Amino acid sequence: RDGKDGLLSTIMRNLGQIDDELPKWILLDGDLDANWIESMNSVMDDNRMLTLASNERIPLKPYMRMIFEIRDLTYATPATVSRAGILYISTDEGFQW
């Protein structure tokens, strides 16, 4: 492999190597970065594949799921939004979750 693995690629690879097919959840909490979220489009579409800069492809297996907990969709493109199920929790009434 070229370069150094990041946290997400390491977690996805390790979860994919576990022998059982029990549900595996990856929770990502934080603001979106425009470049980073664009690279996630292939994971969220029908390919379900994370493609690294080294051209290594890490599959998101059928029993694996990802949750993105974000503040807003400022840097999300229409392509990203169309691939995600979105739950919006309004803070108009002053509730903080």
Side-chain angles (χ1 to χ4, degrees):
R1 287 189 292 243
D2 296 335
K4 184 177 178 183
D5 271 346
L7 185 59
L8 181 60
S9 58
T10 300
I11 289 171
M12 281 184 64
R13 188 181 299 109
N14 291 345
L15 287 178
Q17 293 172 350
I18 296 174
D19 289 334
D20 65 54
E21 293 189 6
L22 295 172
K24 312 284 186 289
W25 293 88
I26 300 171
L27 177 61
L28 302 162
D29 180 19
D31 294 335
L32 289 181
D33 173 87
N35 294 324
W36 176 79
I37 197 62
E38 281 302 307
S39 68
M40 296 302 296
N41 283 343
S42 66
V43 178
M44 296 188 297
D45 68 13
D46 291 340
N47 295 323
R48 298 176 56 92
M49 194 74 62
L50 177 64
T51 303
L52 304 180
S54 65
N55 287 325
E56 178 186 359
R57 295 167 51 102
I58 303 171
L60 186 71
K61 300 207 174 159
Y63 52 85
M64 295 166 62
R65 299 285 186 266
M66 300 182 91
I67 296 177
F68 298 87
E69 192 281 317
I70 60 173
R71 180 182 346 184
D72 57 48
L73 296 171
T74 302
Y75 297 106
T77 64
T80 301
V81 172
S82 70
R83 288 170 168 85
I86 297 175
L87 175 63
Y88 177 73
I89 300 173
S90 174
T91 59
D92 290 344
E93 297 298 320
F95 294 100
Q96 296 295 316
W97 299 95

